[in-house]
Amino acid sequence: MALTPEPKAPFHSVQYALRVLESVSTHGDGVTETRLSRETGLPVGHLAPLLLTLRREGYVEQVTDGAYVIGASLLELGSGTARRRGLEARLRQSLARLRDTVGAAVYVSRYVDGEIQVTQVADGPRTPAVNEWVDFRSAAHASAIGKCLLTQLDLNGRRDHLSRHRTARLTSRTITSEKVLFSKLDSQPATVPVLDLQEYAVGTVCAAVPLTAGSTAGCLALSLPIEEAHRLRAAAATLNRSAAPVLLSLAL
């Protein structure tokens, strides 16, 4: 199932977004799109959709004369405990919106201290989370989450992980050969979602895209029952487009 690459990786969009926020924050009375383009070096064609995303997330607001000012969501972050709680709330809201948009459970995962950690899950009665019948920490070779995180590790990091978590066969589609697995990971384009087509669990398909904040590998993922596999391509493309706002919440 081939997926069309996105023109930019999510972290590039976040870099641009942070640049825009820095510029807006220096203009207390507001700044026009033209001036933002000049100060950030971003063409208006790239700036306009980015500003739309920042407005939707509440990080900037547009006042009556069309100028942009810092939005309520950014002001609420503050510092210390308030900032952490504000970021967590924004992230939960972003994930809930994404869940409803793609019609699938969504997940945020990180690779911390040599282990996979699923840190956030947005699911619901109509979008149930995947049954974790095998601990995700032991199924990196089979799950979309695990494979996406492994793509972000170097060769030694991958080997270290698999030395502690063997490539057990979970379904008839599971890749158990380390050589074959590494070959597929190396050929995975950074801007194309990683797929799991019943490799982790029979009856479930998944997709994941990287969320690399600083030096920590992370990913944004979704899962669908096999009956809805025909939606995976479109859902994965939406997941890819939505990664930047989620990563922005993690990066601020």
Side-chain angles (χ1 to χ4, degrees):
M1 183 181 298
L3 296 173
T4 303
E6 292 291 302
K8 294 181 179 65
F11 62 86
H12 288 149
S13 297
V14 172
Q15 289 175 334
Y16 299 152
L18 292 174
R19 195 184 305 172
V20 169
L21 291 176
E22 288 174 358
S23 182
V24 173
S25 67
T26 64
H27 299 279
D29 296 328
V31 57
T32 65
E33 188 172 312
T34 300
R35 186 164 183 178
L36 275 174
S37 178
R38 184 169 64 251
E39 292 185 356
T40 61
L42 296 175
V44 173
H46 291 166
L47 185 59
L50 183 55
L51 285 169
L52 181 62
T53 296
L54 292 174
R55 286 178 61 192
R56 185 171 61 244
E57 297 295 320
Y59 292 121
V60 301
E61 295 177 2
Q62 194 170 25
V63 292
T64 53
D65 62 355
Y68 290 90
V69 297
I70 289 297
S73 294
L74 201 58
L75 291 173
E76 290 172 358
L77 295 183
S79 60
T81 301
R83 179 178 185 275
R84 185 178 66 253
R85 289 176 178 172
L87 287 172
E88 290 173 351
R90 295 301 304 169
L91 182 56
R92 287 195 299 270
Q93 292 169 5
S94 294
L95 293 178
R97 284 197 298 270
L98 180 56
R99 174 201 62 204
D100 295 340
T101 298
V102 299
V106 294
Y107 315 76
V108 173
S109 301
R110 292 185 174 187
Y111 195 79
V112 181
D113 296 330
E115 298 294 352
I116 293 171
Q117 294 183 5
V118 178
T119 56
Q120 282 92 15
V121 179
D123 59 356
R126 297 183 179 180
T127 54
V130 65
N131 175 31
E132 190 178 346
W133 75 286
V134 173
D135 193 319
F136 282 133
R137 292 177 297 179
S138 302
H141 63 295
S143 68
I145 286 174
K147 290 188 292 181
C148 188
L149 293 174
L150 288 177
T151 63
Q152 299 170 62
L153 304 182
D154 60 20
L155 181 59
N156 289 335
R158 294 174 187 174
R159 285 176 171 168
D160 173 70
H161 185 88
L162 295 186
S163 71
R164 292 178 287 107
H165 301 288
R166 298 297 181 181
T167 54
R169 185 174 299 281
L170 305 183
T171 76
S172 62
R173 294 174 177 265
T174 304
I175 296 173
T176 57
S177 166
E178 182 177 299
K179 180 178 180 180
V180 173
L181 176 64
F182 286 3
S183 176
K184 286 187 174 294
L185 295 178
D186 288 336
S187 63
Q188 175 71 33
T191 54
V192 176
V194 178
L195 301 181
D196 159 18
L197 304 178
Q198 300 190 90
E199 297 167 56
Y200 171 74
V202 174
T204 302
V205 293
C206 306
V209 295
L211 292 177
T212 305
S215 59
T216 302
C219 75
L220 177 66
L222 64 81
S223 63
L224 287 169
I226 190 62
E227 295 80 10
E228 299 181 40
H230 61 281
R231 296 202 298 111
L232 184 62
R233 178 184 179 121
T238 300
L239 187 79
N240 211 8
R241 290 193 298 269
S242 304
V246 174
L247 183 53
L248 182 59
S249 295
L250 296 172
L252 283 172

